[in-house]
Amino acid sequence: MAESSTSAPPPAAGTASTSQQQQQKPVAIVCVGMAGSGKTTFMQRINAHLHGQKEPPYVINLDPAVLNVPFESNIDIRDSVNYKEVMKQYNLGPNGGILTSLNLFATKVDQILGLLEKRAGPDPENPNKKLIKNILVDTPGQIEVFVWSASGQILLESLASSFPTVIAYVIDTPRTASTSTFMSNMLYACSILYKTKLPMILVFNKTDVRDADFAKEWMTDYDAFQAALAADEEGNAFGGVEGEGMGSGYMSSLLNSMSLMLEEFYAHLSVVGVSSMTGAGVDDFFAAVREKADEFTRDYLPELERKRKERDDQKRRAREKELDKMMRGMSMATDGEGSSSKKTPAKNGNDDDDDDDDMDVPSDDDDRDADDYADVDDEYDREGLQARYEAAMEANMDSTMEDASFAKYLHAQRK
């Protein structure tokens, strides 16, 4: 794979260099799944597979409640947070303890990214160091605690901002044999996809017990799912009067409607069947990972950069707006009777309204925090503010602020 990419002609300057640089970064595979789906065993299998290919991954364990894991973790939440102590000190139950442990661990996300970038980048002192190509992340079995929590979002967005990130949703294949449980899993997968906004792979695990061909057929052939739905209804799978074989018409109608709704959702997924026990299908899984990593670089990364640029531009405009307000306030203070402490009355005679408009207080509409506002003399505000300050001082040489320095002026304005 690497050899074929090196034989291609070099990209033109300024065209594909960014994409190529992103593809050289390791791929972060975040494994999520319901309790009992075989997620941890799946992590062990893909970890052993990569070690067998002489490409050891970087492994992160985010499950604080697990007693033992069958693989070695480079970063383990249990080394930083004691789950039982968190439950005891905060008087929490099991789920609350997991959530609070993740929240505490999320405060170290900058250190995690620092370690990952150090392992993913070349080392000038050790040019022969082998760079990692995969990052494996194991998450708690309580899926909602990770996916729907603020800490889970912080960890996922931080990973995605630095590395191509793929969600592997692990499904217990034997338990999805009925149409109702299958549709429940699909709805959960749909919610995770649209919450994380990351490329997703559906991993039908335990194919050594039950083959996943039926699930793939239901996702691609609407008539096949309808036939299975009719069979479940006739077999009284949805309840109803015993012996009549009619089942619940409401449940059948609901599943039918949901299958129509999810047809577009299925088109954006990669589906693989894997046996964590035998290792069957692991090669197909990593082929899907490469495909989704390309999709991340092609579709998700530009959108991420666009949103980041929008936030930066919005913050810049808010700061410039506050700068203008501050300079207008200074002009009003120095255009009076020669005293900077006296303020020029408003044209409408209402001092309070003008003071409210020119107050140094960030409004709710500004997309910034108090720290951002306080730092008005940052790298791109300082030069403009300095120039305006000097111009105002030259126009008001007789002002009592004539001998004030720029730093003193800022200090006075912030009081």
Side-chain angles (χ1 to χ4, degrees), residues 141-343:
Q142 289 80 352
I143 222 173
E144 67 282 351
V145 170
F146 178 77
V147 175
W148 297 98
S149 66
S151 54
Q153 184 176 0
I154 290 170
L155 291 166
L156 280 177
E157 289 183 354
S158 301
L159 271 178
S161 66
S162 302
F163 307 99
T165 306
V166 176
I167 300 292
Y169 181 59
V170 183
I171 300 172
D172 188 343
T173 307
R175 292 186 180 178
T176 59
S178 70
T179 53
S180 57
T181 53
F182 170 81
M183 192 55 63
S184 299
N185 267 293
M186 293 303 103
L187 287 174
Y188 220 130
C190 182
S191 67
I192 293 172
L193 176 67
Y194 289 109
K195 178 67 172 67
T196 61
K197 297 181 177 65
L198 292 171
M200 176 181 283
I201 302 172
L202 290 186
V203 181
F204 283 91
N205 196 15
K206 305 182 183 179
T207 55
D208 53 309
V209 179
R210 172 92 187 242
D211 197 275
D213 288 343
F214 74 94
K216 296 178 183 178
E217 186 181 16
W218 287 353
M219 295 176 68
T220 55
D221 189 345
Y222 176 77
D223 293 333
F225 182 77
Q226 290 302 307
L229 189 59
D232 281 351
E233 189 174 9
E234 289 176 4
N236 205 34
F238 307 135
V241 181
E242 186 69 27
E244 292 187 3
M246 294 301 294
S248 172
Y250 168 76
M251 179 63 99
S252 178
S253 176
L254 177 63
L255 294 177
N256 184 32
S257 301
M258 288 191 293
S259 66
L260 287 171
M261 178 195 70
L262 293 175
E263 188 173 358
E264 181 66 22
F265 165 68
Y266 295 150
H268 298 283
L269 294 177
S270 293
V271 183
V272 295
V274 174
S275 171
S276 298
M277 293 298 294
T278 65
V282 173
D283 290 328
D284 295 336
F285 170 75
F286 280 104
V289 167
R290 290 190 294 270
E291 177 186 339
K292 289 300 178 182
D294 293 339
E295 180 182 324
F296 176 94
T297 305
R298 183 181 65 251
D299 300 331
Y300 178 80
L301 188 61
E303 180 69 11
L304 179 69
E305 291 175 348
R306 183 187 67 80
K307 289 182 178 179
R308 185 182 299 164
K309 185 177 182 301
E310 281 183 359
R311 286 196 300 269
D312 291 343
D313 290 344
Q314 203 170 22
K315 189 178 291 186
R316 181 186 295 271
R317 286 194 298 268
R319 287 176 174 175
E320 288 176 354
K321 181 180 176 182
E322 291 302 321
L323 178 60
D324 289 337
K325 282 186 179 181
M326 188 167 58
M327 296 312 297
R328 284 200 305 270
M330 174 185 150
S331 225
M332 291 173 64
T334 56
D335 284 346
E337 298 178 358
S339 174
S340 62
S341 62
K342 295 181 180 180
K343 294 186 178 180

Side-chain angles (χ1 to χ4, degrees), residues 18-171:
T18 303
S19 176
Q20 186 177 9
Q21 184 180 6
Q22 185 72 17
Q23 287 179 352
Q24 290 175 351
K25 291 185 175 182
V27 181
I29 305 170
V30 182
C31 296
V32 298
M34 296 185 183
S37 61
K39 177 174 51 65
T40 302
T41 311
F42 173 72
M43 277 279 298
Q44 179 191 20
R45 172 56 63 181
I46 59 177
N47 180 41
H49 178 81
L50 291 172
H51 275 280
Q53 292 189 335
K54 308 300 181 184
E55 296 289 348
Y58 200 85
V59 183
I60 302 175
N61 173 44
L62 296 180
D63 190 351
V66 66
L67 294 178
N68 297 297
V69 288
F71 49 81
E72 256 188 62
S73 302
N74 300 93
I75 297 177
D76 197 325
I77 187 174
R78 297 175 300 170
D79 295 336
S80 304
V81 183
N82 189 322
Y83 165 69
K84 291 185 178 180
E85 282 299 317
V86 168
M87 289 177 60
K88 186 185 299 182
Q89 290 183 16
Y90 294 95
N91 194 24
L92 299 170
N95 288 342
I98 294 174
L99 180 59
T100 305
S101 298
L102 280 171
N103 290 340
L104 294 171
F105 189 70
T107 61
K108 303 178 180 293
V109 67
D110 55 336
Q111 300 176 32
I112 298 171
L113 290 180
L115 290 171
L116 291 174
E117 289 172 356
K118 184 178 179 181
R119 287 295 309 272
D123 185 0
E125 298 180 357
N126 185 15
N128 296 325
K129 183 186 76 170
K130 193 169 186 179
L131 305 181
I132 58 172
K133 294 185 179 180
N134 295 278
I135 301 168
L136 305 183
V137 183
D138 192 17
T139 60
Q142 289 80 352
I143 222 173
E144 67 282 351
V145 170
F146 178 77
V147 175
W148 297 98
S149 66
S151 54
Q153 184 176 0
I154 290 170
L155 291 166
L156 280 177
E157 289 183 354
S158 301
L159 271 178
S161 66
S162 302
F163 307 99
T165 306
V166 176
I167 300 292
Y169 181 59
V170 183
I171 300 172

Side-chain angles (χ1 to χ4, degrees), residues 368-383:
R368 56 192 171 81
D369 7 81
D371 292 337
D372 291 335
Y373 171 73
D375 193 20
V376 294
D377 56 335
D378 65 2
E379 55 189 359
Y380 56 80
D381 283 337
R382 189 178 181 85
E383 293 182 4

